[in-house]
Amino acid sequence: MRKLTQAPNLAIATVWADCLNRAGIEASVQRLYASGIAGEIPPDQSLPEVWIADDGQLDAARALLHELQHPRERRWVCQACNELIEGPFEQCWNCGANMPGL
């Protein structure tokens, strides 16, 4: 097992671990309950961590984590309602239509 990263909170750590698991990289969240003793230990010791089971998948895990932390910004026009959509969104906020090509 190898530590991949520290997360700012438990929700984000869980999302990252779930995405890694869905990609076939066995991951788990450690220090789930350490925030309960924050103030008694150094702040960086109470943050949740994401660990991967197979050290051989470390590079793939780092690449996926980078994609999760830096989503692609897109700019497209909805074919259904002609609304301009900006950001990492794959669905129109106005009418709910999917981005072309999905």
Side-chain angles (χ1 to χ4, degrees):
M1 282 189 77
R2 172 144 332 172
K3 180 174 107 173
L4 177 62
T5 191
Q6 244 179 5
N9 59 55
L10 183 56
I12 291 176
T14 303
V15 168
W16 288 346
D18 287 346
C19 289
L20 289 162
N21 281 308
R22 280 193 308 245
I25 301 170
E26 187 179 345
S28 62
V29 178
Q30 304 296 318
R31 295 187 183 170
L32 291 167
Y33 307 108
S35 64
I37 58 173
E40 303 293 324
I41 60 176
D44 67 327
Q45 298 299 310
S46 64
L47 294 173
E49 297 175 341
V50 178
W51 286 65
I52 59 169
D54 182 1
D55 291 356
Q57 293 183 310
L58 184 60
D59 290 336
R62 284 182 177 154
L64 180 55
L65 180 62
H66 184 269
E67 287 180 31
L68 294 170
Q69 292 173 327
H70 304 93
R72 293 182 301 182
E73 293 290 322
R74 298 185 184 116
R75 185 181 180 137
W76 55 280
V77 176
C78 177
Q79 293 178 342
C81 70
N82 293 323
E83 187 67 34
L84 175 64
I85 310 298
E86 296 179 301
F89 309 107
E90 296 180 348
Q91 190 174 27
C92 177
W93 66 268
N94 188 43
C95 71
N98 286 328
M99 182 175 78
L102 290 183

